[in-house]
Amino acid sequence: MSSQTSSDVFSDAAEHTSDLLRHFIATRGQCSIVISGGSAMRHVLGHLANCDVPWSSVRLYVTDERCVPREDSNRNDVMINEVLVQPVHFKSEFFFPIPAEFGPHRGAQSYARMLSGVDHFDIALFGVGPDGHIASLFPNHPSVENNERVIAVENSPKFPPDRVSVGLTMLRGSTHRIVVVAGGEKSDLIARIQEGQKPPVALVNPTRWFLDSQVVGLRSNRATTTQQGQTS
């Protein structure tokens, strides 16, 4: 795990992702990447848009989507389109948004068909919520136990309740699984994972973590306070 300022973490995560993209393209001629939404991803993708990547050889997918109308500002694909797709002039035929506007079940079925020729993703790039959710896979929610490639998520604990998500098994099968964690409110999450708890972000078995100094610093301070309390 690496520890820096949030800005450095976003930049480093983008550089690491761009290195992987170029590696796969150089060795195989193409690379598939699946990207989540969230505020951290907005920053990472902003940096990624400035990296030197042969985007015509990239196939871009979305980890999950809210069941709201197309062009709704709460959609992940709207953010990805604004921050990455448009700035790099990414070809629309190589960007595969989730048609969640059709509802969770029809949207999941449609995206599953889109992924029918995808054995696995080369890169999965995640932000994470303070509760440890990734994509639209929430702790103690039935979606985490669902082994389907694409899942209809209903009764989500976070608004809106209806969503579509790539399943945990498919996400965990990605060759590289990168998680970006920024903000002091997520230090408890890292503490719980280090203590052995398994929220969805831990279940995806990340291959690389990027943690900012707020996350690591608060975790270290709390550990020190606990140790002092035990010895006093």
Side-chain angles (χ1 to χ4, degrees):
M1 296 184 182
S2 60
S3 168
Q4 298 176 346
T5 67
S6 294
S7 180
D8 288 339
V9 162
F10 298 145
S11 177
D12 286 355
E15 286 291 342
H16 179 65
T17 302
S18 67
D19 287 344
L20 292 174
L21 287 165
R22 288 190 294 268
H23 167 75
F24 280 108
I25 293 168
T27 56
R28 291 215 327 256
Q30 192 177 108
C31 183
S32 62
I33 181 171
V34 61
I35 298 175
S36 78
S39 58
M41 280 303 100
R42 174 178 284 276
H43 291 291
V44 172
L45 297 183
H47 286 286
L48 187 58
N50 293 318
C51 294
D52 183 16
V53 175
W55 292 108
S56 62
S57 298
V58 175
R59 303 298 179 264
L60 176 58
Y61 300 86
V62 185
T63 62
D64 65 303
E65 193 57 86
R66 300 166 175 87
C67 292
V68 294
R70 293 183 65 183
E71 310 304 328
D72 189 296
S73 61
N74 290 310
R75 287 181 66 116
N76 292 331
D77 58 16
V78 169
M79 182 276 288
I80 294 170
N81 184 65
E82 173 191 339
V83 180
L84 180 64
V85 171
Q86 290 185 10
V88 303
H89 305 291
F90 196 88
K91 293 184 178 180
S92 59
E93 61 264 35
F94 298 149
F95 178 36
F96 301 94
I98 299 174
E101 64 273 12
F102 296 136
H105 294 281
R106 185 178 168 192
Q109 292 169 358
S110 180
Y111 210 52
R113 287 193 293 271
M114 290 187 197
L115 295 182
S116 61
V118 180
D119 178 60
H120 68 280
F121 300 116
D122 296 316
I123 303 168
L125 182 58
F126 304 105
V128 58
D131 61 353
H133 84 267
I134 53 167
S136 283
L137 305 175
F138 294 89
N140 304 314
H141 190 277
S143 59
V144 177
E145 305 297 330
N146 192 321
N147 291 322
E148 294 182 9
R149 288 159 62 87
V150 184
I151 299 167
V153 178
E154 297 177 294
N155 299 314
S156 160
K158 187 176 180 181
F159 184 84
D162 291 343
R163 298 160 176 251
V164 177
S165 183
V166 177
L168 180 63
T169 301
M170 182 77 178
L171 294 174
R172 190 165 49 207
S174 305
T175 304
H176 295 271
R177 301 170 299 282
I178 304 164
V179 176
V180 181
V181 189
E185 74 278 5
K186 297 175 184 176
S187 61
D188 282 341
L189 167 64
I190 300 304
R192 294 196 304 272
I193 293 172
Q194 291 175 333
E195 291 165 0
Q197 294 186 30
K198 296 290 185 181
V201 67
L203 295 176
V204 82
N205 193 20
T207 56
R208 182 71 182 267
W209 294 81
F210 287 88
L211 309 181
D212 76 359
S213 56
Q214 293 186 70
V215 174
V216 177
L218 283 176
R219 167 56 180 155
S220 298
N221 289 340
R222 287 169 183 166
T224 300
T225 301
T226 300
Q227 290 170 0
Q228 290 174 344
Q230 291 174 342
T231 57
S232 61

